[in-house]
Short mmCIF file of all heavy atoms in Angstrom, two decimals:
data_model
loop_
_atom_site.label_atom_id
_atom_site.label_comp_id
_atom_site.label_asym_id
_atom_site.label_seq_id
_atom_site.Cartn_x
_atom_site.Cartn_y
_atom_site.Cartn_z
N GLU A 30 -92.56 220.41 65.39
CA GLU A 30 -93.78 221.01 65.93
C GLU A 30 -93.80 222.51 65.65
O GLU A 30 -94.85 223.09 65.35
CB GLU A 30 -93.88 220.75 67.43
CG GLU A 30 -94.23 219.32 67.78
CD GLU A 30 -95.65 218.94 67.36
OE1 GLU A 30 -96.54 219.82 67.40
OE2 GLU A 30 -95.86 217.78 66.98
N GLY A 31 -92.64 223.14 65.79
CA GLY A 31 -92.56 224.58 65.52
C GLY A 31 -92.89 224.89 64.07
O GLY A 31 -93.61 225.85 63.78
N PHE A 32 -92.37 224.08 63.15
CA PHE A 32 -92.66 224.28 61.73
C PHE A 32 -94.14 224.08 61.45
O PHE A 32 -94.76 224.86 60.70
CB PHE A 32 -91.83 223.31 60.89
CG PHE A 32 -92.04 223.47 59.41
CD1 PHE A 32 -91.35 224.45 58.71
CD2 PHE A 32 -92.94 222.67 58.72
CE1 PHE A 32 -91.54 224.62 57.35
CE2 PHE A 32 -93.15 222.83 57.36
CZ PHE A 32 -92.44 223.80 56.67
N GLN A 33 -94.74 223.07 62.06
CA GLN A 33 -96.17 222.82 61.84
C GLN A 33 -97.01 223.97 62.37
O GLN A 33 -97.99 224.38 61.74
CB GLN A 33 -96.58 221.51 62.51
CG GLN A 33 -98.02 221.12 62.22
CD GLN A 33 -98.36 219.72 62.71
OE1 GLN A 33 -97.52 219.04 63.26
NE2 GLN A 33 -99.60 219.30 62.51
N THR A 34 -96.62 224.51 63.52
CA THR A 34 -97.35 225.67 64.07
C THR A 34 -97.27 226.85 63.12
O THR A 34 -98.27 227.53 62.85
CB THR A 34 -96.75 226.06 65.44
OG1 THR A 34 -96.88 224.97 66.35
CG2 THR A 34 -97.45 227.29 66.01
N MET A 35 -96.07 227.11 62.60
CA MET A 35 -95.89 228.24 61.69
C MET A 35 -96.68 228.05 60.40
O MET A 35 -97.25 229.02 59.86
CB MET A 35 -94.40 228.40 61.36
CG MET A 35 -94.10 229.57 60.43
SD MET A 35 -92.33 229.72 60.05
CE MET A 35 -92.10 228.24 59.04
N ALA A 36 -96.76 226.80 59.90
CA ALA A 36 -97.41 226.53 58.62
C ALA A 36 -98.93 226.45 58.72
O ALA A 36 -99.62 226.69 57.72
CB ALA A 36 -96.86 225.24 58.02
N THR A 37 -99.45 226.12 59.89
CA THR A 37 -100.90 225.90 60.01
C THR A 37 -101.63 227.02 60.76
O THR A 37 -102.82 227.22 60.55
CB THR A 37 -101.18 224.56 60.72
OG1 THR A 37 -100.49 224.51 61.96
CG2 THR A 37 -100.72 223.39 59.85
N ASN A 38 -100.93 227.74 61.63
CA ASN A 38 -101.55 228.89 62.32
C ASN A 38 -101.20 230.16 61.55
O ASN A 38 -100.01 230.45 61.35
CB ASN A 38 -101.04 229.01 63.76
CG ASN A 38 -101.50 227.85 64.61
OD1 ASN A 38 -102.39 227.10 64.23
ND2 ASN A 38 -100.88 227.69 65.77
N HIS A 39 -102.20 230.88 61.13
CA HIS A 39 -102.01 232.08 60.32
C HIS A 39 -101.18 231.78 59.07
O HIS A 39 -100.14 232.42 58.82
CB HIS A 39 -101.34 233.20 61.13
CG HIS A 39 -102.13 233.66 62.30
ND1 HIS A 39 -103.25 234.47 62.18
CD2 HIS A 39 -101.97 233.42 63.63
CE1 HIS A 39 -103.74 234.71 63.38
NE2 HIS A 39 -102.99 234.08 64.28
N PRO A 40 -101.59 230.82 58.22
CA PRO A 40 -100.82 230.49 57.02
C PRO A 40 -100.71 231.66 56.04
O PRO A 40 -99.82 231.68 55.19
CB PRO A 40 -101.60 229.32 56.40
CG PRO A 40 -102.97 229.44 56.95
CD PRO A 40 -102.82 230.00 58.33
N GLU A 41 -101.62 232.64 56.18
CA GLU A 41 -101.56 233.81 55.29
C GLU A 41 -100.25 234.58 55.45
O GLU A 41 -99.82 235.30 54.54
CB GLU A 41 -102.76 234.73 55.54
CG GLU A 41 -102.72 235.55 56.83
CD GLU A 41 -103.14 234.76 58.06
OE1 GLU A 41 -103.51 233.57 57.92
OE2 GLU A 41 -103.09 235.33 59.16
N LYS A 42 -99.58 234.43 56.59
CA LYS A 42 -98.29 235.10 56.80
C LYS A 42 -97.22 234.56 55.86
O LYS A 42 -96.21 235.22 55.62
CB LYS A 42 -97.83 234.91 58.25
CG LYS A 42 -98.75 235.48 59.31
CD LYS A 42 -98.75 237.00 59.30
CE LYS A 42 -97.47 237.58 59.84
NZ LYS A 42 -97.52 239.07 59.91
N LEU A 43 -97.42 233.34 55.34
CA LEU A 43 -96.43 232.71 54.47
C LEU A 43 -96.76 232.89 52.99
O LEU A 43 -96.12 232.28 52.13
CB LEU A 43 -96.35 231.20 54.79
CG LEU A 43 -95.84 230.87 56.19
CD1 LEU A 43 -95.98 229.39 56.47
CD2 LEU A 43 -94.38 231.31 56.35
N ASN A 44 -97.71 233.75 52.69
CA ASN A 44 -98.11 233.97 51.30
C ASN A 44 -97.27 235.08 50.67
O ASN A 44 -97.26 236.21 51.15
CB ASN A 44 -99.60 234.35 51.24
CG ASN A 44 -100.12 234.37 49.83
OD1 ASN A 44 -99.47 233.89 48.90
ND2 ASN A 44 -101.31 234.94 49.64
N ALA A 45 -96.55 234.72 49.59
CA ALA A 45 -95.73 235.71 48.89
C ALA A 45 -96.46 236.32 47.70
O ALA A 45 -95.94 237.24 47.06
CB ALA A 45 -94.44 235.05 48.40
N VAL A 46 -97.65 235.81 47.39
CA VAL A 46 -98.43 236.36 46.28
C VAL A 46 -99.26 237.52 46.84
O VAL A 46 -100.38 237.35 47.29
CB VAL A 46 -99.34 235.27 45.65
CG1 VAL A 46 -100.08 235.83 44.43
CG2 VAL A 46 -98.51 234.06 45.25
N GLY A 47 -98.65 238.70 46.80
CA GLY A 47 -99.24 239.87 47.45
C GLY A 47 -100.52 240.34 46.78
O GLY A 47 -100.63 240.34 45.55
N SER A 48 -101.49 240.78 47.59
CA SER A 48 -102.73 241.35 47.07
C SER A 48 -102.54 242.84 46.81
O SER A 48 -101.48 243.40 47.10
CB SER A 48 -103.86 241.14 48.08
OG SER A 48 -103.62 241.93 49.25
N SER A 49 -103.56 243.49 46.31
CA SER A 49 -103.46 244.92 46.00
C SER A 49 -103.27 245.77 47.25
O SER A 49 -102.82 246.92 47.16
CB SER A 49 -104.71 245.38 45.24
OG SER A 49 -105.87 245.14 46.02
N THR A 50 -103.60 245.23 48.41
CA THR A 50 -103.46 245.99 49.66
C THR A 50 -102.11 245.77 50.33
O THR A 50 -101.76 246.46 51.27
CB THR A 50 -104.58 245.62 50.65
OG1 THR A 50 -104.54 244.21 50.90
CG2 THR A 50 -105.94 245.99 50.08
N ASP A 51 -101.33 244.79 49.86
CA ASP A 51 -100.00 244.55 50.42
C ASP A 51 -99.01 245.59 49.91
O ASP A 51 -99.24 246.23 48.87
CB ASP A 51 -99.51 243.15 50.06
CG ASP A 51 -100.24 242.06 50.83
OD1 ASP A 51 -100.44 242.25 52.04
OD2 ASP A 51 -100.63 241.04 50.22
N SER A 52 -97.89 245.71 50.62
CA SER A 52 -96.88 246.69 50.20
C SER A 52 -96.25 246.31 48.87
O SER A 52 -95.77 247.17 48.13
CB SER A 52 -95.80 246.84 51.27
OG SER A 52 -95.16 245.59 51.51
N VAL A 53 -96.23 245.01 48.55
CA VAL A 53 -95.72 244.55 47.24
C VAL A 53 -96.79 243.67 46.58
O VAL A 53 -96.75 242.44 46.70
CB VAL A 53 -94.40 243.77 47.40
CG1 VAL A 53 -93.88 243.35 46.03
CG2 VAL A 53 -93.35 244.61 48.11
N PRO A 54 -97.75 244.26 45.88
CA PRO A 54 -98.72 243.45 45.14
C PRO A 54 -98.02 242.60 44.09
O PRO A 54 -97.00 243.01 43.51
CB PRO A 54 -99.62 244.51 44.47
CG PRO A 54 -99.43 245.75 45.29
CD PRO A 54 -98.02 245.70 45.77
N PHE A 55 -98.55 241.41 43.84
CA PHE A 55 -97.90 240.48 42.91
C PHE A 55 -97.74 241.10 41.52
O PHE A 55 -96.74 240.86 40.83
CB PHE A 55 -98.73 239.19 42.82
CG PHE A 55 -98.06 238.09 42.05
CD1 PHE A 55 -96.93 237.46 42.55
CD2 PHE A 55 -98.57 237.69 40.81
CE1 PHE A 55 -96.31 236.44 41.83
CE2 PHE A 55 -97.96 236.67 40.10
CZ PHE A 55 -96.82 236.04 40.61
N ALA A 56 -98.69 241.92 41.12
CA ALA A 56 -98.64 242.52 39.78
C ALA A 56 -97.44 243.45 39.60
O ALA A 56 -96.98 243.67 38.47
CB ALA A 56 -99.93 243.30 39.51
N THR A 57 -96.90 243.99 40.70
CA THR A 57 -95.78 244.92 40.57
C THR A 57 -94.51 244.24 40.05
O THR A 57 -93.61 244.91 39.55
CB THR A 57 -95.46 245.59 41.93
OG1 THR A 57 -95.11 244.57 42.89
CG2 THR A 57 -96.63 246.39 42.44
N ILE A 58 -94.45 242.90 40.18
CA ILE A 58 -93.29 242.17 39.65
C ILE A 58 -93.17 242.42 38.15
O ILE A 58 -92.06 242.50 37.61
CB ILE A 58 -93.44 240.66 39.92
CG1 ILE A 58 -93.40 240.39 41.43
CG2 ILE A 58 -92.35 239.86 39.20
CD1 ILE A 58 -93.73 238.95 41.80
N PHE A 59 -94.32 242.58 37.48
CA PHE A 59 -94.33 242.71 36.02
C PHE A 59 -94.37 244.16 35.55
O PHE A 59 -94.38 244.41 34.34
CB PHE A 59 -95.54 241.95 35.46
CG PHE A 59 -95.64 240.54 35.98
CD1 PHE A 59 -96.53 240.21 36.99
CD2 PHE A 59 -94.81 239.54 35.48
CE1 PHE A 59 -96.62 238.92 37.48
CE2 PHE A 59 -94.89 238.25 35.98
CZ PHE A 59 -95.79 237.94 36.97
N THR A 60 -94.40 245.11 36.47
CA THR A 60 -94.42 246.52 36.07
C THR A 60 -93.09 247.20 36.41
O THR A 60 -92.24 247.40 35.56
CB THR A 60 -95.60 247.27 36.72
OG1 THR A 60 -95.52 247.11 38.16
CG2 THR A 60 -96.93 246.73 36.24
N GLY A 61 -92.88 247.51 37.68
CA GLY A 61 -91.69 248.29 38.03
C GLY A 61 -90.57 247.52 38.69
O GLY A 61 -89.41 247.95 38.66
N MET A 62 -90.86 246.36 39.29
CA MET A 62 -89.84 245.70 40.10
C MET A 62 -88.66 245.19 39.29
O MET A 62 -87.51 245.28 39.72
CB MET A 62 -90.45 244.55 40.90
CG MET A 62 -89.47 243.92 41.88
SD MET A 62 -90.25 242.78 43.00
CE MET A 62 -91.27 243.87 43.97
N ILE A 63 -88.92 244.63 38.12
CA ILE A 63 -87.84 244.10 37.30
C ILE A 63 -86.84 245.20 36.96
O ILE A 63 -85.62 244.98 36.95
CB ILE A 63 -88.40 243.43 36.03
CG1 ILE A 63 -87.27 242.91 35.13
CG2 ILE A 63 -89.28 244.39 35.25
CD1 ILE A 63 -86.40 241.85 35.75
N TRP A 64 -87.32 246.42 36.72
CA TRP A 64 -86.43 247.52 36.35
C TRP A 64 -85.68 248.04 37.57
O TRP A 64 -84.51 248.43 37.45
CB TRP A 64 -87.22 248.63 35.66
CG TRP A 64 -88.09 248.09 34.58
CD1 TRP A 64 -89.46 248.11 34.52
CD2 TRP A 64 -87.66 247.38 33.41
NE1 TRP A 64 -89.91 247.48 33.40
CE2 TRP A 64 -88.82 247.02 32.69
CE3 TRP A 64 -86.41 247.01 32.90
CZ2 TRP A 64 -88.76 246.32 31.50
CZ3 TRP A 64 -86.35 246.31 31.71
CH2 TRP A 64 -87.52 245.98 31.02
N ALA A 65 -86.35 248.04 38.72
CA ALA A 65 -85.67 248.46 39.95
C ALA A 65 -84.54 247.48 40.29
O ALA A 65 -83.43 247.89 40.67
CB ALA A 65 -86.66 248.55 41.11
N ASN A 66 -84.81 246.18 40.16
CA ASN A 66 -83.78 245.18 40.42
C ASN A 66 -82.66 245.24 39.39
O ASN A 66 -81.49 245.06 39.73
CB ASN A 66 -84.40 243.78 40.43
CG ASN A 66 -84.97 243.40 41.79
OD1 ASN A 66 -84.49 243.84 42.82
ND2 ASN A 66 -86.00 242.59 41.79
#
């Protein structure tokens, strides 16, 4: 039940594909992140 609550209430919290307003936009993976890692 806890897992279902986490997955269905506010599912946007589980999104790793960051938008331009997130601290890690998805596009940054292909620009600077690979070199930082």
Side-chain angles (χ1 to χ4, degrees):
E30 287 293 326
F32 181 82
Q33 185 172 359
T34 299
M35 181 181 69
T37 54
N38 293 346
H39 298 285
E41 74 280 357
K42 299 290 288 183
L43 296 172
N44 189 13
V46 184
S48 68
S49 59
T50 57
D51 287 317
S52 59
V53 182
F55 188 69
T57 60
I58 295 172
F59 309 101
T60 56
M62 186 170 293
I63 178 62
W64 311 116
N66 275 329

